[in-house]
Amino acid sequence: MTKASDLFIQCLEEEKVEYVFGVPGEENLDFLDSLSRSSSIKLILTRHEQGAGFMAATYGRHTGKAGVCLATLGPGATNLVTAAAYAQLGGMPMMMITGQKPIKKSKQGRFQILDVVSMMAPITKFTHQLASSDNIPSRVREAFRLAEEEKPGAVHLEFPEDVAEEETDSRPLHRSLVRRPTADEKAVRAAVRKIEAAKAPVLVIGAGANRKMTSRMLLQLVEKTGIPFVTTQLGKGVIDETHAKFLGCAALSAGDFVHRAIEAADLIVNVGHDVIEKPPFFMRPGGTEVIHVSTNTAEVDPVYFPQVEVIGDIANAIWQIKEDIVPSGGWNFDAMLRARAAELEHTRSISDDCRFPVFPPCLVRQVREAMPADGILCLDNGVYKIWFARNYPARAPNTVLLDNALATMGAGLPSAMASAMVYPGRKVMAICGDGGFMMNSQEMETAVRLKLDIIVLILRDDAYGMIRWKQANMGFDDFGLTYGNPDFVKYAESYGAQGHRVESAEGVPTMLRQCLDTPGVHLIDCPVDYSENDRILNKEIRELSAKL
Ligand SMILES: Cc1ncc(C[n+]2csc(CCOP(=O)(O)OP(=O)(O)O)c2C)c(N)n1
């Protein structure tokens, strides 16, 4: 016979879990005791369940294996809710384990008791109370299966105290060997004939393509055919964005050079489309046709109703298309490439403006120049996300982790921490606003305790800048969006991290270099000038691209 909590840990070991991120409560103490005797799984104690959840989700995003997080009942579980939604919308495999009071006999009335299983229902793929220890192996296996299969997301298991104490003779279930089905040959052929017959096809690379490591196949398709490509924010980096055929990232909703490039196409090959992202194009009846290449059929709406669908493993589908296609002499990409050239020219002109407080386009260039090709940026949510998504050329898949799904604030630091744990040899930088950073800044202690090598670059405008910008845009008075900040250098030092302050834009490259070359947790307080966001992002780019 095995104690149920020991069996639970054995099941996690069977799933090759490396870490459990979390904040235990007394209802998790059997689990914690069993975990203490596991040789392969480490507990990563965080200072807030949200930090644990964001870390587990990011672990899942990088590895494709569900990241695991732990919380107690009631308040611990409610603190996981934002992270669950982040994983669920963002397609990141993540498993939450929460404790619960005894379900068979409880003397405590409803103290701390919430219906956590139901609470998790709308933000998970699977939520279940383990009411019997005999079912632990099948429920854990099922939870991992669902978390990891397309579209990946969040799952939840509630493990009540009295069930955790039970004895059972159940044994862990093994993972099965699964291969994703491949796309049908006829669908591939229909797509290929359409692409060959088009005058100006374009590839749009979205969220789903970044998960499945379709990188090599897409690059081969681009190289064989010369068809240019656009990315969504979540598709960034699938192909090196310094490639001559890269037309830009759709970071602004409309009116950018990249939209002009897409408008020049007469056929869109949309790879890994996910409705959680605002699409970089809207279909209209009689307008440009779309080929949908994804693991799932298209969710149809008034602006998305593709004419051909190639459904199956994306990498394999692209490989099949690449093998079959004969590049056409009738293709002409001039108008698209002209739009890109104009965008690059404009970006170059604004990136040279290195005023102080720092000007976002200049900072984006400086960060790109400092980071190695495989360095990982983890963006929180604020105005700077648009600048980085738009102007920072990602050189490899999953090197710009941003959240264009839930778009929550507070994930920048935890996602950088998890990235540094998954890839200890790579350079990792969190880019946060002062607002987003402060939402999970307590995890600085966790980062220092774990001896992680990360840089946290805080763009300080002493305000919820993004909302302030929108407020001004809507013609409202400046109200309710400014605040004070701690002295970030002292704040970092109080955690045992290294604090730095940018005093001039010219000083940024040297400071970044020093931080990248010195191990440990670095925090850089960087005052930022957002005064031109509106002029450039809302007006100048629109006007210039409209002239094309
Ligand atoms: C958890 C959460 N709360 C509120 C918002 C709405 N929101 C989006 S951006 C933003 C301001 C972000 O401020 P900051 O992190 O300082 O970055 P900045 O925009 O100033 O660069 C707010 C409040 C959100 N996305 N997530």
Side-chain angles (χ1 to χ4, degrees):
M1 297 293 273
T2 312
K3 187 178 170 189
S5 55
D6 286 346
L7 175 63
F8 201 126
I9 299 297
Q10 287 166 16
C11 292
L12 297 183
E13 286 169 341
E14 191 64 42
E15 300 290 340
K16 305 275 182 290
V17 170
E18 292 180 274
Y19 305 109
V20 172
F21 303 90
V23 180
E26 65 179 270
E27 289 71 23
N28 310 111
L29 287 176
D30 287 289
F31 181 91
L32 199 65
D33 181 58
S34 299
L35 184 60
S36 73
R37 279 177 271 111
S38 168
S39 56
S40 58
I41 306 177
K42 285 198 197 75
L43 173 73
I44 304 295
L45 199 65
T46 60
R47 306 306 299 270
H48 192 292
E49 291 83 354
Q50 196 178 92
F54 286 149
M55 290 183 78
T58 304
Y59 176 93
R61 183 175 190 170
H62 279 301
T63 63
K65 296 191 304 176
V68 179
C69 55
L70 173 75
T72 190
L73 78 176
T78 55
N79 273 352
L80 279 181
V81 163
T82 303
Y86 170 78
Q88 181 74 354
L89 288 194
M92 309 175 209
M94 188 255 248
M95 182 193 184
M96 299 172 285
I97 304 164
T98 59
Q100 188 53 282
K101 295 274 185 236
I103 49 170
K104 294 175 185 160
K105 238 191 265 167
S106 176
K107 300 193 197 76
Q108 296 205 43
R110 295 200 59 79
F111 178 66
Q112 286 195 309
I113 295 181
L114 288 174
D115 181 355
V116 176
V117 172
S118 301
M119 180 181 80
M120 293 293 185
I123 47 172
T124 54
K125 297 175 80 177
F126 177 70
T127 172
H128 180 78
Q129 181 186 67
L130 290 165
S132 156
S133 53
D134 295 343
N135 293 336
I136 291 173
S138 63
R139 294 306 88 191
V140 172
R141 184 74 277 280
E142 180 65 357
F144 274 86
R145 178 185 79 82
L146 286 166
E148 293 171 5
E149 98 177 358
E150 275 295 321
K151 174 186 170 180
V155 295
H156 166 244
L157 287 177
E158 181 176 76
F159 195 25
E161 252 183 300
D162 48 354
V163 179
E165 288 169 359
E166 282 176 14
E167 294 286 324
T168 170
D169 56 7
S170 284
R171 308 292 312 142
L173 287 175
H174 303 301
R175 291 173 73 98
S176 47
L177 173 68
V178 190
R179 302 282 301 162
R180 268 185 301 280
T182 52
D184 176 72
E185 215 177 287
K186 283 190 189 136
V188 171
R189 222 172 306 135
V192 167
R193 298 293 93 87
K194 237 182 186 336
I195 303 170
E196 287 171 347
K199 292 197 177 61
V202 70
L203 281 165
V204 174
I205 300 174
N210 220 348
R211 279 200 295 280
K212 291 298 159 220
M213 291 300 163
T214 52
S215 185
R216 202 158 51 95
M217 293 308 154
L218 276 164
L219 177 62
Q220 286 178 13
L221 178 64
V222 169
E223 304 260 276
K224 175 173 176 184
T225 59
I227 298 175
F229 64 100
V230 163
T231 71
T232 66
Q233 292 193 36
L234 287 169
K236 268 188 87 63
V238 174
I239 304 180
D240 186 336
E241 291 172 7
T242 59
H243 196 287
K245 298 293 180 181
F246 178 55
L247 299 174
C249 168
L252 294 172
S253 302
D256 202 344
F257 296 92
V258 72
H259 301 107
R260 298 288 86 75
I262 298 172
E263 282 160 21
D266 68 340
L267 178 70
I268 295 170
V269 183
N270 200 17
V271 186
H273 173 80
D274 191 329
V275 286
I276 48 96
E277 283 203 276
K278 232 186 241 175
F281 59 86
F282 294 116
M283 293 186 72
R284 49 185 172 74
T288 306
E289 295 202 339
V290 171
I291 298 173
H292 174 91
V293 182
S294 194
T295 40
N296 299 91
T297 50
E299 214 175 303
V300 172
D301 62 39
V303 292
Y304 197 64
F305 43 90
Q307 281 76 16
V308 174
E309 305 201 27
V310 180
I311 303 306
D313 176 77
I314 296 178
N316 176 274
I318 296 295
W319 174 78
Q320 290 194 59
I321 292 173
K322 188 256 311 177
E323 288 292 295
D324 196 22
I325 201 161
V326 179
S328 158
W331 289 338
N332 185 335
F333 306 117
D334 290 353
M336 295 177 198
L337 296 170
R338 260 199 313 276
R340 174 61 176 169
E343 199 255 284
L344 283 176
E345 183 49 40
H346 176 253
T347 297
R348 237 188 314 271
S349 70
I350 53 174
S351 309
D352 286 340
D353 181 347
C354 291
R355 67 182 80 165
F356 186 80
V358 305
F359 187 46
C362 166
L363 184 72
V364 171
R365 176 174 61 76
Q366 290 172 322
V367 171
R368 182 62 282 182
E369 286 166 5
M371 285 294 268
D374 69 348
I376 302 170
L377 283 196
C378 297
L379 301 179
D380 210 284
N381 267 278
V383 188
Y384 53 86
K385 187 176 94 173
I386 299 174
W387 282 113
F388 275 89
R390 189 181 178 281
N391 292 14
Y392 182 93
R395 310 276 329 255
N398 275 319
T399 52
V400 177
L401 294 196
L402 53 76
D403 168 18
N404 195 35
L406 184 65
T408 180
M409 293 163 71
L413 171 60
S415 64
M417 291 162 61
S419 299
M421 291 173 74
V422 174
Y423 295 110
R426 287 164 66 176
K427 303 293 181 194
V428 177
M429 191 182 299
I431 308 224
C432 306
D434 42 18
F437 170 72
M438 288 300 282
M439 286 201 180
N440 272 313
S441 65
Q442 75 286 345
E443 302 305 343
M444 288 289 284
E445 189 281 320
T446 313
V448 169
R449 175 163 34 88
L450 295 174
K451 299 190 170 42
L452 299 178
D453 296 328
I454 55 167
I455 300 171
V456 185
L457 179 60
I458 300 178
L459 304 192
R460 177 165 58 79
D461 64 338
D462 301 312
Y464 291 123
M466 178 83 167
I467 311 303
R468 210 173 175 208
W469 174 25
K470 304 254 152 143
Q471 185 181 53
N473 234 306
M474 290 170 76
F476 293 123
D477 290 342
D478 185 1
F479 173 75
L481 293 163
T482 57
Y483 42 66
N485 271 306
D487 178 329
F488 283 122
V489 173
K490 287 189 187 149
Y491 188 71
E493 287 167 358
S494 72
Y495 282 109
Q498 298 159 67
H500 314 265
R501 180 163 294 122
V502 171
E503 310 278 3
S504 73
E506 294 76 51
V508 171
T510 316
M511 185 175 290
L512 290 177
R513 179 93 338 265
Q514 275 169 1
C515 293
L516 287 165
D517 291 344
T518 314
V521 178
H522 296 268
L523 183 150
I524 303 176
D525 173 16
C526 181
V528 68
D529 178 354
Y530 278 161
S531 62
E532 302 240 51
N533 282 334
D534 193 57
R535 184 184 68 75
I536 299 175
L537 294 175
N538 251 352
K539 301 193 180 81
E540 189 168 273
I541 287 172
R542 252 171 217 280
E543 284 162 18
L544 288 172
S545 64
K547 286 190 195 142
L548 286 169

